[in-house]
Amino acid sequence: MTSFLQYTIFGIILGAGFAIAATGLVVTYTTSGVFNFAHGAVGMIAAFSYWELVANHHVPVVLALVIILLIGAPIAGALVERVLMRRLHGATAERPIMVTLGLLVILTGVATIVWSPKNQYQLSPIVSGSFRQVSINLQYQQVLTIGIAIALVIGLRFLFSSTRTGVGLRAVVDDPGLLAMSGASPDAMSQYGWILGFVMAALAGVLLALTQEQTGISIVAMTLLVVNGYAAAIVGRLKNIPVTFIAAIVIGLLEDYIIYYALPHLSQGLNSDITLALPMVFLFIALVMLPSVRLRAVGRLSTVRVPRMPSGKESLLGGVAFFVLAVIASVVLSSAVVRGTNLLNLGGEIMALGIVGLSLVLLTGYSGQVSLCQFSFMGIGAFLMGKVAGGGSLLGLVAAALVCAVLGALVALPTLRLRALYFALATFAFADAVDQGFFQDSRVFGGGINVGRIVLPGLSFGGNRSEFLLLSVIFVLVALLVLTIRRSLFGRRLVAMSDSPAAYATVGLNLAVTKVAVFAIAAALAGIAGGLYATVNGTVGSSDFDFFSGIIFVLFVTVWSIRTVSGAFLAAVTFVVLTTFWSTGLGLVAGAGIILIGRAASGILGIDRLSTLLPLPWVKRASGGGDSGTLAGIGITPMGGEARVAG
Amino acid sequence: MSPVDEPRLASEPNGGGLPALTVSQVSVSFGGVSALTDVNLVVPPGTVTGLIGPNGAGKTTLFNVISGLQEPDRGAIHFFDTDVTMMKPYRRARLGLARTFQRLELFGTLTAGENVQVGLESTVKWWQWRHLRKALWRNSGAESARGDSTAVDALVGSDALAVTTPDRLLAEVGLGGMSNEQANAMPTGLARTVELARGLAIGPKLLLLDEPGSGLDEAESQALGTLLVRLASTGMAVLLVEHDMELVMRICDRILVLDFGHVIATGTPEAIRSDPTVQAAYLGAGSTSGGTQ
Amino acid sequence: MTVASIPVPELSPATLSPALAIRAVRASYGRIEVLHGVDLTVPAGSVFALLGPNGAGKSTLLKVISGQMRPTAGEVVIGDKPVGKLPTEKLARTGLCSIPEGRGIFPNLTVRENLRIWTYRGGLSVKSVEEQTYATFPRLSERRKQLAGTMSGGEQQMLAISRALVTDPKVLLLDELSMGLAPLIVSELYELVGTLAAQGKTILLVEQFVTTALLVATRAAIMVHGKIQQEGTPSDMATAALSVYLSS
Ligand SMILES: Nc1ncnc2c1ncn2[C@@H]1O[C@H](COP(=O)(O)OP(=O)(O)OP(=O)(O)O)[C@@H](O)[C@H]1O
Ligand SMILES: Nc1ncnc2c1ncn2[C@@H]1O[C@H](COP(=O)(O)OP(=O)(O)O)[C@@H](O)[C@H]1O
Ligand SMILES: [Mg+2]
Ligand SMILES: [Mg+2]
């Protein structure tokens, strides 16, 4: 009984930490309309800064806290608002998600460089000492955490509902222009909002770090610790602070009970650390329990301009040109080896990854659904390719497509009734759960699976070159397929569905069917890509499809252009080249890229000025098309663009 | 709840047939505030029926109930003789029920032509090869429609795709040559017309229009009136919510007045205009001369 | 839509200094220019009706005046000061109030919270703002705790207009005031416009219902394709408007 009480109290303390994180998320969402995926990363940086100051440089605790919470975090928040967020108003729904993911990737990248994961980072409590109450040992530190959490909830609730500033902070999300016309500065408001959000993230980071006394803090763990807060924030529907607080406490308790009571029995059969997947499981459950969004007329039109679609003939010509260039490349590069890597081999990987990119064009570019789990499907595809029919068989590819399509539909079914952000979060949770629970399990990939070269009936693809050409052909075919889909009625429906769900239903179309269909198709494409990737690579291991790489890849596609086939290809080139030759820079480049393009809906390939600046013939031709776009309204001819880059 | 409880308006024009829409005893409340209370109404085919009433009377809520975006607390909706009360919005649309929105709900990143085309193709299954094949070559499929009679006249309740093309439909509502404009960059008046054309494209038997005239200039609203009358003459039932009394009085065969969620009057434009309750609730005292501006 | 007996101030424009002057203003969305050199002078204390077909650029002009859009050429002068690069919120605090076309409210705030935002204009208390609004629109008082975005279209429009009533502006820009409002309320509102003008406020009014607008206007202009085509007295413009609409 004593131990139950002890666990309960620990659970509440843990929950209070989550509550501070979750409230911070809610604050940021309320004041900016942005779900900050980097919230945990900001907290992580704050925690490490605290370690740096207090443990490493022996700065007094109070001074350190002042520096971090009252100077560092506000400046960082103001900076992020100014440079990143202010530009995002009126961007497509996917963009804030991408930008904060970019920030996440950058912050973890920087942290990895500054605070090498090889070292230990130990912290001691801010206030030491403890007292005993009914045979339970409580530390002052823990009491402090709970106190801060409660004070925050009360204070914030008061701010947002009873002060004009609080109302103004919320108003800026709805309509900054109108706020300005009413006499308040929207820029200042949104700046205050981000400052507040960053301070809360930093506070949560430091407090959560202090709970990690025994293990010391680590970059990944600190970043993901906040995911526990995600679930609570979702239960509070990203706006209700008291509900969020209570949900966080409940989650803290559940986690504690599971770890102490259930896990010892559960984990015997498992080789991976299931506690790492727990937050994601909670998140998934919270999402599935959300009530469906009511189909409602919102009457707000996006102002996004989209690139012109190439016609069938243009695509086909582009495809042929692409293939011709691939043939030339295969001759020129046939035995080129750079730093021990065969370039043709890389070329094959690029094609395979390009197909994953294409699945994103279909899913996110056309239908506006953000998926962060395409790498999971890719990994599952690769696994099946290695296992089915002895590996390397065409059957493996078929299995990859089918299994992933079914899995995709299963992920989509419980979540398709949710709006875009929640859907993205569900894929986020799914991706991490697959990574932690499946890929990292040593029995799945182990030291890596050997996958034979692909065998097609009557043909052999023994050499690098023939395999590269095969993959190029497949890539071109899939690209043509995706473009054809966009031109077909299904493609129009995808765009229509993301533009106005209410109108979509009232012209007689079934949202649910369309969503599940597109998600399943995209998952199948990613599965096939994974299978192909496996055959090119020869061996695949768990690290090939890890969670962070998946996110980084999505960012690259967004940076180049998630609405065009060229974007998918260029993203694959960038990703593969960087992973091979400069893997430390991978996340940093992706993050920097996303910051650079800001709200331009069609990425680098869609930016007007850039395309007129660069002396690239295909871009010029496209922008001369007389499109009346204000932003990114030019028609890149996707296949043409690729063809040039490939050569 | 049977539609038979409902007082039939057998003496109305076209009253011999079944009403296109029968709303019986519908009530809706939002957290205690009731927006609709026991509303009964019928809309016969081949007429333009006006639905007017003060702001907040419940007109849009009623449209949401009819089109399936809002579940009623009580009551029933019949579309011809089908009970659609519990039906999903997309199923109602497939039966031939189209609507527009008070605040535009266009597919903003599609072109005007594509907006209409999504409507035209709404009954097509996406895996049908016929349509995929077209997509292989052209940006917009469905170029080859048969028949020469004006498309709008042939639309009602038909397989619209067989009768017309997006370009022709747009041309007939006065948007010829606009089919390649991106919808979200069009001026309000034109965008409203695109929304109307998209509704027509599903070949509706009943058309619900929520303030189609708001934001239109005088020339545009004149054209709108003419179009609606023409649609009704093809046998379509049109239910029109509109605050532009001149338009309403000119084109409606019959008018229903809603106030605080109750139907307070029903009748011809003449009768409504001179009805003292309606004047007090809605038209205002100066309106006896109204309608002519 | 008829408006009975509205107090129209008997002022001749020539005798008054302009409250608002627009000089050779050009503006564009991206690469497309929609205002091609607009000149307009609105005398202090007048009700100026700006008419014209859809897409003429009327709303764009109002956006330029209220500082939401920067002109690519030309200038806007309010009182005797060129507006220059003053941000929108500064302009608002100096007494310019613009009620935009369509939704001029914060949909995810309650009615009361919306009213609270109006107090940013300065010198207002929440209480007086609420009292004044509810007196004019009793409907809103029943809805004070409702999210503004869930109200009916007309109720939202009432809330939007309440900002013009309570903030006591010197210059008032009204874009399609009557849009989505019942005739009864429209005539009440136009009476109110007349009253505001009588108090010395300067009002620039964009309206689709020509007759309604011209009843209260002291001066009017017609805009076509991004240019002022004609300007004159309301009665002159009534006939002119007719021919413009017919030809467009
Ligand atoms: N989701 C909702 N929650 C709460 N109240 C609502 C909701 N939707 C509508 N209402 C209320 O129901 C009433 C009817 O609204 P409705 O939109 O149907 O009016 P309307 O007749 O269309 O008016 P208008 O002519 O102004 O558009 C209004 O008072 C509105 O505030
Ligand atoms: N946000 C926008 N982006 C691009 N074009 C616009 C935008 N808003 C308006 N326009 C265009 O500018 C022109 C003038 O529009 P507007 O000022 O709204 O006219 P009015 O108010 O007179 O109806 C129209 O051709 C319209 O299509
Ligand atoms: Mg309405
Ligand atoms: Mg306008």
Side-chain angles (χ1 to χ4, degrees), chain A residues 402-424:
Chain A
L402 290 180
V403 170
C404 288
V406 171
L407 266 180
L410 287 180
V411 177
L413 270 174
T415 46
L416 58 88
R417 45 192 197 89
L418 305 175
R419 57 203 177 87
L421 168 65
Y422 291 148
F423 187 80

Side-chain angles (χ1 to χ4, degrees), chain B residues 188-208:
Chain B
T188 332
L190 301 184
R192 277 208 183 275
T193 317
V194 174
E195 207 191 24
L196 173 60
R198 185 184 65 194
L200 289 178
I202 72 169
K205 298 187 189 108
L206 170 65
L207 185 59
L208 309 176

Side-chain angles (χ1 to χ4, degrees), chain B:
Chain B
M1 190 94 9
S2 132
V4 188
D5 300 343
E6 156 72 14
R8 282 283 169 76
L9 287 148
S11 57
E12 291 294 320
N14 295 339
L18 208 52
L21 174 75
T22 311
V23 173
S24 337
Q25 297 293 112
V26 162
S27 299
V28 174
S29 65
F30 298 105
V33 184
S34 73
L36 293 175
T37 318
D38 298 333
V39 170
N40 292 303
L41 61 89
V42 294
V43 180
T47 60
V48 180
T49 305
L51 178 63
I52 61 174
N55 297 115
K59 306 177 294 294
T60 302
T61 307
L62 184 61
F63 269 24
N64 287 342
V65 171
I66 298 171
S67 59
L69 297 186
Q70 171 74 47
E71 210 177 289
D73 301 340
R74 284 197 308 277
I77 311 287
H78 285 78
F79 186 63
F80 290 95
D81 47 7
T82 320
D83 184 345
V84 297
T85 316
M86 287 298 148
M87 218 179 243
K88 288 253 164 65
Y90 75 92
R91 290 200 172 280
R92 302 183 198 213
R94 286 182 189 174
L95 291 177
L97 193 158
R99 75 167 286 180
T100 66
F101 294 85
Q102 187 168 359
R103 309 234 170 224
L104 284 175
E105 287 284 333
L106 277 173
F107 304 134
T109 56
L110 291 180
T111 64
E114 284 177 314
N115 266 275
V116 173
Q117 203 173 349
V118 170
L120 284 176
E121 300 162 334
S122 62
T123 51
V124 179
K125 298 280 174 278
W126 58 268
W127 55 83
Q128 280 174 12
W129 170 244
R130 193 158 62 98
H131 298 279
L132 217 54
R133 200 183 48 200
K134 281 178 195 146
L136 280 177
W137 293 106
R138 272 192 287 270
N139 272 335
S140 55
E143 301 285 0
S144 55
R146 296 177 298 274
D148 296 316
S149 67
T150 55
V152 166
D153 295 334
L155 264 178
V156 190
S158 67
D159 174 8
L161 193 54
V163 199
T164 189
T165 65
D167 285 347
R168 285 179 54 194
L169 191 51
L170 282 173
E172 289 199 40
V173 298
L175 293 177
M178 304 288 290
S179 89
N180 286 326
E181 297 283 311
Q182 194 179 311
N184 63 11
M186 297 175 84
T188 332
L190 301 184
R192 277 208 183 275
T193 317
V194 174
E195 207 191 24
L196 173 60
R198 185 184 65 194
L200 289 178
I202 72 169
K205 298 187 189 108
L206 170 65
L207 185 59
L208 309 176
L209 300 172
D210 201 349
E211 299 195 23
S214 87
L216 299 198
D217 62 39
E218 282 184 13
E220 287 165 342
S221 89
Q222 197 81 27
L224 172 70
T226 315
L227 177 65
L228 295 186
V229 169
R230 198 170 129 211
L231 288 173
S233 73
T234 66
M236 197 179 292
V238 179
L239 185 57
L240 171 71
V241 167
E242 184 56 67
H243 289 302
D244 179 353
M245 279 308 106
E246 200 232 343
L247 179 64
V248 171
M249 295 295 170
R250 183 157 52 86
I251 68 169
C252 289
D253 299 297
R254 208 165 54 95
I255 295 177
L256 294 147
V257 188
L258 209 59
D259 190 18
F260 286 108
H262 295 270
V263 178
I264 57 165
T266 315
T268 61
E270 291 313 311
I272 293 297
R273 204 203 307 261
S274 51
D275 185 327
T277 20
V278 180
Q279 283 180 3
Y282 181 63
L283 295 171
S287 65
T288 27
S289 63
T292 47
Q293 292 210 1

Side-chain angles (χ1 to χ4, degrees), chain C residues 80-94:
Chain C
D80 45 11
K81 283 190 288 286
V83 167
K85 289 200 159 43
L86 266 190
T88 310
E89 63 267 21
K90 292 259 166 59
L91 271 171
R93 272 181 253 149
T94 56

